[in-house]
Amino acid sequence: MPRRDPLRKAAAGAIIAILAVLVLAADQFAKYLAIENLPPERVVPVLGDFLQLYLIRNPGAAFSLGEGVTWIFTIALAAVAVAIVWIAVTRLRSRAWAIVLGLLLGGVLGNLTDRLFREPGFAVGHVVDYISTPWMMPAIYNIADMFIVTMMIGVAIIVLVGLRFDGTREPRRGSDHAEGSDDSADTTVAGTGAPARGAAEPGDPAER
């Protein structure tokens, strides 16, 4: 397959910005619909126990951990968002990284928006959660959470395959050794090392 050229920094930044805005918009619109149409803290079955809607406002993290230190989660989300933007501006040239980081940034911004602008106040706002899948996990979550979790898995996969921010790949271990072995074999056949099989050596009776 032909190798794609690395993205320009402007193109990588545009991909991240567009995907982040789309995810942010979808997350905030879904939260608006949930607030307007769902009764607070009451189960609304959609597909039996497989999928339910349950509107809550979460001051903490997953499983309502850290309810008394909401501002810490606000700082953490802001730090992640700043880090993604910095990578996009200074280092990013990979399409895969741009897609994953763009979707991740959208999820982070979705929950950060709640932390900053929802009740009870700036930087301590409660995140709106409304999706429940009791067969899979006891936590109640939202669209932003879904993108954060799945894109963190995506980051792990990209790191494992060795793809760098600039679009190049990490060299595989042992590849240099294998190349060195091939080079030594070539020099042997060329006569710069041990003679190739079947070649007559000086003084061999075949030369007489």
Side-chain angles (χ1 to χ4, degrees):
M1 293 179 61
R3 184 177 180 181
R4 291 184 177 181
D5 294 331
L7 289 174
R8 295 181 179 180
K9 289 182 180 180
I15 291 174
I16 289 180
I18 292 171
L19 292 178
V21 169
L22 289 175
V23 173
L24 173 61
D27 174 70
Q28 291 298 308
F29 182 65
K31 288 172 179 175
Y32 167 78
L33 293 178
I35 293 172
E36 292 294 318
N37 297 284
L38 295 178
E41 300 185 13
R42 287 179 56 188
V43 174
V44 178
V46 178
L47 294 173
D49 292 334
F50 182 82
L51 175 62
Q52 301 173 349
L53 299 179
Y54 188 89
L55 177 62
I56 63 169
R57 296 177 182 265
N58 184 8
F63 306 105
S64 298
L65 297 175
E67 295 182 5
V69 287
T70 303
W71 58 273
I72 292 180
F73 302 114
T74 303
I75 294 174
L77 289 170
V80 172
V82 170
I84 293 174
V85 172
W86 180 82
I87 291 171
V89 171
T90 61
R91 303 176 60 187
L92 196 63
R93 303 287 300 278
S94 163
R95 289 174 179 81
W97 272 112
I99 293 171
V100 169
L101 291 181
L103 296 175
L104 176 60
L105 179 60
V108 169
L109 291 178
N111 283 344
L112 181 60
T113 300
D114 288 7
R115 297 295 187 194
L116 292 177
F117 301 114
R118 294 194 187 275
E119 296 179 354
F122 182 78
V124 291
H126 296 177
V127 172
V128 176
D129 291 330
Y130 52 89
I131 302 173
S132 175
T133 48
W135 62 274
M136 182 172 62
M137 65 176 71
I140 301 171
Y141 51 96
N142 55 49
I143 289 178
D145 295 330
M146 294 167 60
F147 277 99
I148 290 172
V149 172
T150 54
M151 291 307 108
M152 288 302 297
I153 296 173
V155 167
I157 293 173
I158 291 177
V159 170
L160 286 176
V161 301
L163 183 62
R164 298 183 174 122
F165 289 132
D166 62 2
T168 61
R169 291 183 179 273
E170 295 281 351
R172 294 182 180 179
R173 292 183 179 179
S175 60
D176 294 339
H177 176 73
E179 290 176 1
S181 300
D182 293 341
D183 292 343
S184 63
D186 292 342
T187 55
T188 299
V189 173
T192 56
R197 182 178 299 177
E201 298 183 7
D204 192 288
E207 292 184 347
R208 298 174 186 174

